[in-house]
Amino acid sequence: MSNQEPQERTDPVEELDELMTDESAEPGMSYTIEYDDDTDSADAGADDTDTADNIDAEPEATAEPSADGAGTGDEEAAAAANTAAAALDEPDEEDSTDDVDDSVFRAYPMFSMRGVTVADAKTGEHIWNDLSMRCEAGTSYGVLVDAHDTRQHDTLVALMAGFAHPAEGSVMTKATPLHDLTPLELRGHRIGVLLQQFALRGDLSAAANLAYVMDASNRNYLQPIAVRAQELLTRVGFAPSGDDDATQAERSRALVRTLGAVDRARVMVARAIATDPDIVLADEPTATLDEADAADILDLLRAQVHGESKRRTVIVVTTDPHVAAAMDETIDLTH
């Protein structure tokens, strides 16, 4: 192995971001979700019920009461029964509101792909055809892809991260298509991405990698960026909380290119959550780790569904069934 220092190069992710701002990029298709309006049908049903009640009630209104008043008592009992039945049939306003809120939440998951179709630009062959999935907040997902089709794998990650857009269909976060967001809004606020390559800058320290992302996001933080970076590194286990401040600071100043594989993976997770995104997307995060270290990193990723002030969606794209199964739910795209 050569001892020469690698030459500094531009961050390919930044280059991709610049390319994605090109107005010639083909936009995805938009769509509208329509809800059935049950209000009119409910009112119509209520009118029909009232009419039927009135028709049935007319003979009782003209009935002769008995001498002992039994007829009057029967009428009062019937009226009370009708009132009670109407009260039971009347929907609770609070429950109705909750049902509407739940239906809207289910209609707009944290991340979704609907009818996504992508074709090879040269051959026209479909790479993905009519692909759909949905991922909810507060859940981690293992997305299993074919190990022998790297083109499908790479295209899927590019679509999910917003580096590419489908020819047909939509890729969305909540109710917003990814192509409607700028690269800064998308990867600086909405999605934290862990790529197999270029996820870190080797010429920067662990703490500086986090500060680099936070500075670029243009977000405001309650703490100084340096303090937040150190806390994040401690949270992911890179700078153990049992170490004193001086030891933690010294460890955090180590250049990323000098770190071992598991330490790099921990810094990658910290960098992905540095801007407190809604979605954490990881592409083969354990590819270079042994079994024990891989289990630790998968546990760490799964724990990120609990954000600082929100429930996140964590998505791991992998060709390893064991990695996919380590998440809360598995989405198998190999069939």
Side-chain angles (χ1 to χ4, degrees):
M1 182 180 297
S2 174
N3 294 325
Q4 293 182 353
E5 294 289 331
Q7 295 182 355
E8 183 175 351
R9 58 181 180 178
T10 58
D11 193 338
V13 173
E14 293 179 0
E15 294 179 358
L16 283 172
D17 282 346
E18 293 178 1
L19 289 174
M20 291 310 302
T21 59
D22 186 352
E23 295 182 357
S24 65
E26 182 176 3
M29 296 177 62
S30 61
Y31 69 98
T32 301
I33 296 177
E34 296 183 355
Y35 295 94
D36 292 333
D37 189 353
D38 295 333
T39 305
D40 294 340
S41 59
D43 290 344
D47 292 340
D48 293 342
T49 303
D50 291 342
T51 303
D53 289 344
N54 291 335
I55 293 173
D56 293 337
E58 287 176 1
E60 295 179 9
T62 59
E64 291 292 336
S66 62
D68 58 5
T72 303
D74 290 343
E75 292 175 5
E76 292 177 352
N82 290 336
T83 302
L88 289 174
D89 292 338
E90 184 176 347
D92 183 80
E93 182 177 352
E94 183 177 353
D95 291 343
S96 299
T97 302
D98 291 342
D99 290 342
V100 171
D101 290 342
D102 289 344
S103 67
V104 172
F105 180 78
R106 288 192 297 271
Y108 298 119
M110 185 66 78
F111 178 85
S112 65
M113 303 181 79
R114 305 187 184 191
V116 168
T117 297
V118 182
D120 187 287
K122 295 181 178 179
T123 66
E125 177 187 2
H126 280 165
I127 302 174
W128 289 105
N129 184 34
D130 197 25
L131 173 63
S132 296
M133 69 172 73
R134 58 185 292 135
C135 302
E136 307 288 353
T139 306
S140 61
Y141 296 84
V143 179
L144 187 63
V145 295
D146 189 347
H148 303 291
D149 195 333
T150 57
R151 185 177 62 170
Q152 271 196 346
H153 186 161
D154 294 343
T155 301
L156 179 64
V157 173
L159 290 168
M160 297 177 82
F163 292 125
H165 302 305
E168 298 179 13
S170 58
V171 184
M172 304 182 71
T173 172
K174 298 182 181 177
T176 306
L178 298 195
H179 66 73
D180 284 353
L181 299 170
T182 67
L184 180 59
E185 290 173 322
L186 182 58
R187 289 179 292 278
H189 295 254
R190 305 290 186 94
I191 300 180
V193 184
L194 289 80
L195 300 175
Q196 293 186 62
Q197 298 178 336
F198 315 124
L200 297 171
R201 287 189 54 175
D203 60 325
L204 298 178
S205 69
N209 262 276
L210 272 61
Y212 175 80
V213 171
M214 288 186 279
D215 279 333
S217 72
N218 289 334
R219 297 190 64 171
N220 294 321
Y221 299 96
L222 297 177
Q223 302 169 297
I225 286 179
V227 174
R228 177 173 171 79
Q230 189 62 57
E231 288 190 357
L232 286 169
L233 291 172
T234 300
R235 186 184 306 172
V236 300
F238 176 78
S241 57
D243 292 344
D244 57 44
D245 292 343
T247 303
Q248 287 184 348
E250 181 179 357
R251 181 171 174 76
S252 300
R253 287 195 295 268
L255 294 182
V256 163
R257 62 170 173 254
T258 67
L259 301 176
V262 68
D263 283 337
R264 287 174 60 91
R266 291 186 185 278
V267 177
M268 287 167 61
V269 174
R271 174 168 165 159
I273 64 173
T275 58
D276 195 22
D278 297 326
I279 302 164
V280 175
L281 172 64
D283 179 25
E284 296 288 12
T286 61
T288 60
L289 303 178
D290 60 31
E291 185 175 351
D293 289 338
D296 288 343
I297 296 302
L298 292 176
D299 287 343
L300 181 60
L301 280 169
R302 193 167 56 248
Q304 302 314 310
V305 298
H306 304 293
E308 299 168 46
S309 58
K310 67 184 75 173
R311 292 188 305 160
R312 295 195 188 102
T313 299
V314 174
I315 305 172
V316 174
V317 181
T318 181
T319 59
D320 188 337
H322 299 291
V323 172
M327 298 294 105
D328 297 327
E329 297 187 18
T330 299
I331 299 174
D332 191 343
L333 301 182
T334 61
H335 301 300

